[in-house]
Amino acid sequence: MRKLLSLLGAFSLGLVLVAAVAYFVYDEARPVGTTGPAAETLADKMLAAVNKSAWDTTAFVAFDFDGRQRHRWRRDVDSVEVRWKDYRVDLYTEDVSGRASEHGSQMHGTNAAEVLAKAWAHFCNDAFWVAAPFKVRDPGTERSVVTMDDGREALLVTYASGGVTPGDAYLWHLDETGLPES
């Protein structure tokens, strides 16, 4: 038994070391960009390429995230149904209120509040990836232009607030029409 525990400890330590080395080898500093009119023009170009005006008039969006969470988003009334495992939450996105149920039974009190908060986190994270290109001008964002090594310009969007992971930043590589490539 001692040998097994010793091996498991060594294996765990090895995994931690590999992860630490990978982090330092592959981690890159956030690029520094230039804010101002050029960044806003690049953002406008991307928004035109992804047809933001059509997104703005889309009333209903349904999507599943990695087979774990299901979302039925009523954008026209700021509500979303979020389902995962045995939970169903009818959530109002404006004030993060709503109803939560487990196995079809309505929840109350602290348990309901915890499940509502979890549904909000699922929705924020999952919906971001559905609508990320449309969120470059969300409140709390800053846009800047980064010149890449190949001379092309990329759009750096920093999210200072909002969602459940403020502080994130994403560098959009765009094709010549402004459509995101990565």
Side-chain angles (χ1 to χ4, degrees):
M1 183 65 156
R2 267 194 171 142
K3 265 188 171 178
L4 178 61
L5 290 175
S6 180
L7 284 173
L8 286 175
F11 180 73
S12 297
L13 181 60
L15 281 178
V16 168
L17 288 173
V18 167
V21 168
Y23 174 78
F24 287 109
V25 169
Y26 292 106
D27 185 47
E28 296 179 26
R30 183 178 292 177
V32 176
T34 305
T35 60
E40 300 309 319
T41 299
L42 194 55
D44 288 341
K45 185 176 183 179
M46 183 174 88
L47 291 171
V50 297
N51 198 0
K52 184 167 186 311
S53 60
W55 174 255
D56 289 343
T57 60
T58 301
F60 180 80
V61 179
F63 61 96
D64 292 2
F65 186 79
D66 197 27
R68 293 184 304 227
Q69 290 93 233
R70 294 181 309 281
H71 304 272
R72 306 299 176 253
W73 185 9
R74 292 279 316 270
R75 296 182 72 231
D76 56 340
V77 293
D78 298 317
S79 71
V80 62
E81 176 190 281
V82 183
R83 291 178 180 246
W84 74 99
K85 295 182 181 176
D86 296 317
Y87 297 103
R88 174 187 169 165
V89 174
D90 296 309
L91 182 70
Y92 296 100
T93 58
E94 284 294 312
D95 62 3
V96 193
S97 66
R99 292 185 316 268
S101 62
E102 182 179 20
H103 300 290
S105 296
Q106 189 163 343
M107 302 174 73
H108 302 281
T110 304
N111 291 338
E114 289 172 359
V115 171
L116 280 167
K118 185 161 186 133
W120 173 247
H122 284 320
F123 174 69
C124 284
N125 284 325
D126 300 350
F128 180 86
W129 294 110
V130 169
F134 306 113
K135 301 179 81 44
V136 300
R137 287 221 168 88
D138 276 8
T141 58
E142 179 181 84
R143 291 151 301 286
S144 57
V145 175
V146 174
T147 302
M148 305 306 296
D149 290 340
D150 63 3
R152 293 175 56 190
E153 291 183 335
L155 180 65
L156 178 65
V157 181
T158 304
Y159 295 85
S161 63
V164 292
T165 57
D168 285 356
Y170 300 94
L171 186 64
W172 291 95
H173 298 258
L174 310 173
D175 70 12
E176 60 281 346
T177 69
L179 197 62
E181 295 179 316
S182 63

